[in-house]
Amino acid sequence: MSDSEIMELDFWLERSRWFGMTMYPGYDGGPYHSPIQRTGFQLLDDRIFCLDFINLAYAHGVQEFSVDFEVLRGTMEYQICIAAKQLDRAYVFVPLTASWIATYFSEHAHQRLFDEQGVPICEALLRLRGY
């Protein structure tokens, strides 16, 4: 993979602002999964960006984050990153899909969270905040 392929900006700037995030290690010994909504994005250099996002699975009241990430590897299907201030954690971001929600949040009616084309419905997903 060439340096120009490491950061796929279109991944972050595509029409959907919703992503599935998995963090390794997570909490209590396992990975942590959460749907996130991108609320801001700023490229800081060719491999580092600041991502502002709402972390829907995090504790209610503290779900808004702003994190500087360094891309380790990325394509249009995924981005593998580390946080600049937490080098001991790796993050994998993927486009949010009904299948991803069904895998990690099976207790929610994932069919009602996406339209017929599979695009996340913002209002429906935001109702998950604080569940």
Side-chain angles (χ1 to χ4, degrees):
M1 177 178 289
S2 72
D3 285 342
S4 64
E5 294 173 309
I6 297 218
M7 171 70 122
E8 282 284 348
L9 285 180
D10 288 345
F11 178 87
W12 295 107
L13 304 176
E14 65 180 15
R15 64 185 168 105
S16 175
R17 299 177 310 176
W18 289 93
F19 302 91
M21 178 183 77
T22 301
M23 180 179 70
Y24 301 95
Y27 307 107
D28 299 324
Y32 170 80
H33 307 284
S34 181
I36 67 166
Q37 179 188 29
R38 175 184 50 83
T39 57
F41 177 88
Q42 180 182 7
L43 188 61
L44 303 176
D45 75 17
D46 62 338
R47 294 175 69 130
I48 298 175
F49 62 96
C50 180
L51 181 66
D52 301 321
F53 60 98
I54 298 170
N55 183 345
L56 290 182
Y58 208 74
H60 186 67
V62 288
Q63 295 174 322
E64 294 184 26
F65 290 82
S66 182
V67 179
D68 292 349
F69 288 103
E70 179 179 351
V71 176
L72 300 178
R73 194 163 197 82
T75 70
M76 282 300 293
E77 289 78 35
Y78 67 89
Q79 296 278 296
I80 301 173
C81 304
I82 56 172
K85 295 182 180 172
Q86 285 185 311
L87 300 178
D88 61 334
R89 285 202 164 130
Y91 297 79
V92 178
F93 297 96
V94 297
L96 188 64
T97 63
S99 174
W100 192 93
I101 291 286
T103 299
Y104 299 112
F105 296 89
S106 59
E107 68 275 15
H108 297 286
H110 57 276
Q111 307 91 311
R112 293 180 284 152
L113 302 176
F114 298 85
D115 68 15
E116 297 80 31
Q117 289 78 38
V119 175
I121 300 170
C122 184
E123 298 79 24
L125 283 162
L126 287 174
R127 280 194 295 271
L128 295 178
R129 289 180 86 167
Y131 59 90

